[in-house]
Amino acid sequence: MTALAAVGGTAVVQAVSTDAWTELRHRLGRWLGRGNSQRESAVLERLDQTAGELGAAGPAELERVRIRQEAAWQTRIETLLESLDDTERAQAVEQLSVLLGQRIAQGGVSASQGGQAVGGNVDIRAGHGSAAAWNMGSVTLGNPPQPGPPQG
């Protein structure tokens, strides 16, 4: 449940300023509103505020704003799921999985200073005579250096 909520928070931030934003905004507003039009309107207003904050953030503060917004939306999703009984929660988790699965299936890449988020698969290949690497913080995946001529 926490992992799904985290994916939801990330999906919101990644979708802002993309073609997927309008649909995700609408679907998530309806999902979080749970059939209550006033609650849905409040959620849509919060989503618009999120988009506004991300759009107004300068390069120096963008990553901080992204992290804060992802955490806020994760918390909203978790709070809703925790408020439901077991049957309702199971249905809500399934609905959210479908909603986010449709968003994630579209793929997409979001990049900011020092980071990149990818919705979908990442396929890194290195052909003969080339090298590929992907840096993940303190972990680097890539080809080792070519061995020198045998010494001896």
Side-chain angles (χ1 to χ4, degrees), residues 69-90:
Q69 289 298 331
E70 284 178 11
W73 285 102
Q74 177 181 347
T75 300
R76 286 183 182 106
I77 293 167
E78 286 176 339
T79 300
L80 175 91
L81 291 172
E82 290 169 356
S83 74
L84 302 173
D85 67 35
D86 290 344
T87 303
E88 292 172 321
R89 185 179 305 119

Side-chain angles (χ1 to χ4, degrees), residues 18-39:
T18 70
D19 293 341
W21 174 244
T22 302
E23 183 177 351
L24 180 69
R25 177 188 173 274
H26 175 73
R27 288 176 181 248
L28 192 59
R30 191 171 14 165
W31 184 83
L32 282 163
R34 311 297 304 154
N36 179 313
S37 61
Q38 288 180 318
R39 192 169 34 213

Side-chain angles (χ1 to χ4, degrees), residues 123-127 129-135 140-144:
D123 185 16
I124 302 171
R125 299 173 190 238
S130 64
W134 188 267
N135 186 321
T140 302
L141 303 175
N143 290 333

Side-chain angles (χ1 to χ4, degrees), residues 31 34 88-101:
W31 184 83
R34 311 297 304 154
E88 292 172 321
R89 185 179 305 119
Q91 289 175 332
V93 164
E94 177 62 29
Q95 292 167 349
L96 183 61
S97 295
V98 169
L99 185 154
L100 296 175

Side-chain angles (χ1 to χ4, degrees), residues 148-152:
Q151 303 205 0

Side-chain angles (χ1 to χ4, degrees), residues 110-130:
S110 173
S112 64
Q113 184 176 12
Q116 183 177 32
V118 178
N121 296 330
V122 175
D123 185 16
I124 302 171
R125 299 173 190 238
H128 180 71
S130 64

